[in-house]
């Protein structure tokens, strides 16, 4: 099959490993989802390969957020207390929470760092999946945590039974970390199962639920834990503006928790957060429903293109509820990454123990079309 014909067939073909394939009228429809507001926007690493390794939004900032930053520069010499209040009000309206149930950080990763620091205690345990997002175990290194890793289940969900067994092995407080959807696999753990455990567990243990990819997930079994914070002071939900709102370089995340829990963590948080530029961009982004929808649609189109191509090549792909996919490779990951780099694409880093898998972040639909062609060439050379 000719390359372009192969790709066009892939766009409208059946989904792969749980990724639904809805009709899309060829490359023209895919390209219509690409940005028009900043045609010179860099998508490459210093004029190098296209970056498909960091789970970023390839559209760049929303035009409304970009303008809000420009307009807000006149106040950049002021401390950002008033700006932070505007962000708080916008999130209270969006999430239906109380003002005192929110706190802010430099991306969701700082919220995770704050939680790890606030719950550190002699003999405390940090329980998390393997593989999962690395920042939580990294941030725990200076503290007296006993690290306990639990492999994912055969369907790449958190193994709740084994995690619960680990909690019960000690009378010390535990921080139980759930990245859901999970990074790097993109897979889900049923929300109801985690919630059932939360209802039964002692309040000395913190349930740290990372919902960084919440806006991109569309599985009907997936629900946010925010409505549960009022009844569970041992629950913290972590969100970010880095993904669907394309603010990864500006850095803004937030935690949502019971008011008493927020008071516990505030001594560990940076004051005057968020900064003014991030705050005005966040307020504009939250009000920009068109950009939100475009971000989701672009991600879904990109994911369909590459997933259908991998399906045509009979390459195993995990079902993804995020802006990346995990797929099998042949041979050493370092060799595969080097070949991809030489072909013009920077793809994912290692995530042990899944060393024969590659995590691939979504670019623009046109990026994924080009990548699919590269994968076809790799197949001819028996590289994939």
């Amino acid at each position: 099959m000719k390359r372009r014909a192969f790709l066009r067939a892939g766009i409208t073909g059946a989904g792969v490993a749980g990724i639904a394939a809805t009709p899309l009228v060829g490359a023209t429809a895919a390209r219509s989802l690409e940005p028009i507001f900043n045609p010179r926007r860099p998508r490459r690493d210093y004029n190098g390969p296209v970056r498909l390794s960091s789970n970023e939004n390839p559209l760049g900032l929303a035009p409304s957020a970009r303008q809000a930053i420009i307009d807000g520069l006149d106040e950049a010499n002021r401390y950002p207390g008033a700006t932070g209040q505007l962000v708080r009000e916008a999130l209270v309206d969006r999430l239906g929470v109380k003002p005192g149930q929110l706190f802010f950080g430099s991306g969701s990763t700082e919220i995770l760092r704050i939680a790890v620091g606030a719950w550190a205690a002699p003999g405390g345990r940090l329980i998390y999946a393997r593989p999962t997002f690395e920042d939580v175990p990294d941030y725990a290194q200076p503290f007296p945590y006993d690290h306990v890793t639990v492999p994912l289940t055969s369907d790449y969900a958190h193994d709740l039974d084994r995690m619960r067994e680990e909690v019960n092995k000690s009378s010390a407080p535990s921080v139980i970390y759930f990245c859901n959807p999970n990074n790097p696999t993109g897979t889900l753990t049923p929300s109801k199962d985690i919630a059932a455990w939360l209802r039964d567990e002692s309040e000395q243990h913190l349930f740290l639920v990372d919902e960084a990819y919440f806006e991109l997930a569309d599985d009907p079994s997936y629900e946010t834990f925010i409505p549960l914070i009022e009844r569970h002071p041992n629950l913290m939900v972590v969100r970010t503006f880095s993904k669907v709102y394309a603010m990864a370089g500006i850095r803004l995340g937030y935690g949502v928790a019971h008011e008493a829990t927020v008071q516990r963590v505030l001594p560990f948080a940076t004051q005057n957060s968020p900064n003014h530029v991030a705050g005005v961009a966040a307020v504009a982004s939250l009000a920009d429903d068109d950009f939100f929808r475009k971000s989701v649609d672009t991600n879904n189109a990109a994911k369909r293109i590459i997933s259908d191509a991998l399906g045509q090549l009979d390459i195993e792909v995990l079902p993804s509820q995020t802006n990346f996919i995990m797929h099998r490779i042949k041979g050493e990951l370092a060799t595969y990454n080097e070949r991809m780099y030489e072909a013009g694409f920077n793809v994912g880093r290692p995530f042990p123990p899944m060393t024969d898998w590659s995590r691939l972040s979504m670019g623009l639909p046109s990026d994924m079309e080009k990548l699919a062609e590269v994968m076809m060439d790799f197949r001819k050379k028996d590289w994939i």
Side-chain angles (χ1 to χ4, degrees):
M1 186 183 296
K2 295 290 186 181
R3 290 180 179 176
R4 290 295 178 186
F6 166 84
L7 293 173
R8 290 192 177 94
I11 290 171
T12 56
V16 178
I19 299 175
T22 56
L24 190 66
V25 186
T28 301
R31 280 192 288 272
S32 72
L33 296 169
E34 297 181 17
I36 60 173
F37 52 85
N38 186 16
R40 292 182 297 278
R41 170 194 45 77
R43 287 187 290 109
R44 297 174 178 265
D45 286 329
Y46 307 105
N47 297 318
V50 176
R51 186 162 63 186
L52 303 178
S53 56
S54 297
N55 301 345
E56 299 156 340
N57 187 331
L59 292 175
L61 278 175
S64 56
R66 187 184 304 270
Q67 190 61 50
I69 291 172
I70 294 170
D71 294 342
L73 290 178
D74 287 342
E75 295 292 321
N77 60 314
R78 307 296 183 188
Y79 287 105
T83 308
Q85 183 59 29
L86 293 176
V87 180
R88 188 179 301 274
E89 291 171 358
L91 285 171
V92 164
D93 183 62
R94 173 63 63 91
L95 303 175
V97 298
K98 299 173 184 176
Q101 294 173 334
L102 291 164
F103 67 101
F104 300 100
S106 180
S108 58
T109 184
E110 186 177 24
I111 303 301
L112 297 172
R113 181 189 61 77
I114 291 167
V116 167
W119 257 262
R125 313 184 89 210
L126 180 63
I127 299 171
Y128 52 94
R130 188 168 189 261
T132 195
F133 186 49
E134 310 103 322
D135 281 17
V136 167
D138 287 349
Y139 286 140
Q141 292 301 327
F143 300 104
Y145 277 106
D146 178 13
H147 289 242
V148 179
T149 59
V150 177
L152 298 171
T153 65
S154 59
D155 57 354
Y156 300 96
H158 290 75
D159 192 332
L160 301 184
D161 291 337
R162 286 191 59 185
M163 294 176 83
R164 194 167 187 169
E165 288 174 5
E166 291 296 340
V167 171
N168 293 335
K169 286 181 180 179
S170 172
S171 60
S174 295
V175 173
I176 313 156
Y177 174 59
F178 304 96
C179 185
N180 198 35
N182 188 45
N183 180 11
T185 58
T187 48
L188 287 179
T189 301
S191 303
K192 63 179 179 59
D193 294 343
I194 302 175
W197 178 10
L198 172 65
R199 285 192 296 269
D200 294 340
E201 192 54 79
S202 166
E203 288 191 359
Q204 73 166 334
H205 305 302
L206 175 67
F207 282 64
L208 185 58
V209 181
D210 186 344
E211 295 184 351
Y213 301 93
F214 169 78
E215 293 90 351
L216 297 169
D218 59 6
D219 189 293
S221 71
Y222 179 61
E223 297 179 352
T224 178
F225 275 70
I226 289 176
L228 303 182
I229 62 169
E230 188 70 46
R231 300 194 302 275
H232 298 282
N234 60 328
L235 168 66
M236 184 183 300
V237 178
V238 182
R239 293 277 188 91
T240 183
F241 281 87
S242 294
K243 308 306 178 185
V244 75
Y245 294 115
M247 287 174 51
I250 299 178
R251 313 306 298 135
L252 179 56
Y254 57 97
V256 192
H258 190 280
E259 289 163 299
T261 305
V262 172
Q263 290 302 308
R264 175 171 176 170
V265 303
L266 284 182
F268 296 84
T270 303
Q271 296 187 33
N272 289 319
S273 185
N275 72 72
H276 176 65
V277 170
V280 296
V283 172
S285 296
L286 287 169
D288 195 336
D289 292 337
D290 290 340
F291 181 77
F292 180 97
R293 178 44 50 193
K294 185 172 185 177
S295 291
V296 173
D297 289 347
T298 301
N299 180 66
N300 289 343
K303 198 158 54 173
R304 279 196 300 271
I305 290 168
I306 198 63
S307 297
D308 289 348
L310 289 167
Q312 294 281 348
L313 293 169
D314 197 27
I315 295 172
E316 185 179 2
V317 182
L318 296 186
S320 173
Q321 293 290 312
T322 62
N323 61 349
F324 59 87
I325 62 170
M326 198 79 158
H327 69 85
R328 288 270 190 186
I329 62 164
K330 178 183 290 187
E332 297 291 329
L333 181 62
T335 301
Y336 176 79
N337 286 354
E338 182 178 353
R339 287 168 172 168
M340 275 291 176
Y341 190 88
E342 292 172 352
F345 295 91
N346 191 8
V347 296
R349 62 189 183 274
F351 289 93
M354 297 179 69
T355 54
D356 56 347
W357 294 78
S358 175
R359 192 195 71 177
L360 177 65
S361 306
M362 294 300 101
L364 297 171
S366 59
D367 295 329
M368 310 320 288
E369 287 183 336
K370 294 173 184 175
L371 179 63
E373 292 184 354
V374 168
M375 287 182 168
M376 291 175 66
D377 287 336
F378 277 21
R379 171 55 60 83
K380 292 177 182 178
K381 298 172 182 176
D382 198 32
W383 288 355
I384 193 170

